[in-house]
């Protein structure tokens, strides 16, 4: 079975600064995907970034980037130039065709 | 492009009752997955529907059942409600065969069981 671990229940960052959220996972499969989702107080789960496990190049989406270390089974999210609107619960997820396995989440606070 | 929608937004039931939650998939998507998110936790996979059949199931009892319709919309049914069923229920849609791995979520239905 797959497991996803987020060891930081809460993080805070000053507006315009950079923050990194950690995630580790465990799987015996070779073909999979990794995701970061954001869940603001509105509860809508929003896709932030996606990484294919077979790709060595780290994914980037504007201010969001990942550091994917396949051998270490590590998948961290870096948010640059943090904005007040980035405040939310962030979930790391492991994915196959059929299901996503989520971590327990990291609550990110952005300080003005 | 129409996103994933869910109804109702909130629901209150009593223990032992039955409930039906509804989901309309994003336009162009043919696969629907359901997740249960208890307060303070990450979502847990319940099951997935593709071509109107269950296509994978998580560790949930048979009283959790579902349907998918020809227009790809879906229902989640829960019988004999228990207090622990109180949670946010999330529906997600994807396109099987092209980018099945990427799931897009609806706003959720908050179920409270008293």
């Amino acid at each position: 079975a797959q497991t996803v671990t987020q060891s930081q229940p809460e993080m805070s960052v000053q507006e315009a600064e950079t923050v990194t959220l950690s995630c580790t996972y465990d799987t015996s499969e070779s073909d999979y995907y990794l995701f970061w989702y954001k869940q603001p107080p509105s509860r809508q789960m929003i896709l932030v970034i996606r990484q294919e496990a077979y790709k060595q190049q780290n994914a980037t989406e504007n201010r969001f980037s990942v550091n994917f270390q396949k051998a270490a089974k590590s998948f961290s999210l870096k948010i640059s130039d943090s904005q007040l609107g980035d405040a939310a619960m962030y979930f790391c997820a492991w994915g196959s065709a059929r299901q996503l396995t989520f971590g327990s989440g990291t609550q990110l606070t952005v300080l003005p | 492009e129409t996103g994933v929608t869910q109804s109702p937004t909130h629901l209150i039931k009593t223990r032992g009752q039955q409930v039906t939650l509804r989901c309309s998939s994003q336009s162009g998507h043919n696969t629907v997955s359901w997740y249960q998110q208890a307060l303070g936790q990450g979502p847990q996979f319940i099951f997935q529907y593709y071509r109107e059949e269950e296509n994978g199931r998580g560790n949930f009892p048979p009283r959790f059942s579902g349907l998918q319709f020809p227009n790809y919309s879906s229902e989640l049914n829960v019988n004999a409600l228990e207090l622990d069923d109180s949670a946010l229920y999330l529906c997600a849609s994807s396109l099987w065969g092209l980018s099945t791995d990427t799931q897009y979520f609806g706003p959720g239905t908050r179920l409270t069981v008293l």
Side-chain angles (χ1 to χ4, degrees), chain B residues 33-82:
Chain B
S33 303
W34 287 92
Y35 294 82
Q36 180 195 66
Q37 185 178 19
L39 195 61
Q41 297 182 21
Q44 299 287 319
F45 175 69
I46 302 175
F47 44 54
Q48 182 183 83
Y49 275 83
Y50 170 63
R51 289 188 174 178
E52 302 177 45
E53 292 190 359
E54 190 177 288
N55 190 40
R57 189 179 185 93
N59 189 27
F60 281 81
R63 59 189 186 84
F64 285 79
S65 62
L67 287 172
Q68 186 182 32
F69 300 99
N71 66 353
Y72 308 123
S73 65
S74 176
E75 287 182 355
L76 164 65
N77 299 290
V78 187
N79 294 321
L81 284 166
E82 300 177 0

Side-chain angles (χ1 to χ4, degrees), chain B residues 15-50:
Chain B
R15 194 171 50 182
Q17 285 189 311
Q18 178 265 344
V19 69
T20 298
L21 310 181
R22 294 177 174 82
C23 170
S24 292
S25 61
Q26 182 170 312
S27 59
H29 286 181
N30 55 15
T31 304
V32 173
S33 303
W34 287 92
Y35 294 82
Q36 180 195 66
Q37 185 178 19
L39 195 61
Q41 297 182 21
Q44 299 287 319
F45 175 69
I46 302 175
F47 44 54
Q48 182 183 83
Y49 275 83
Y50 170 63

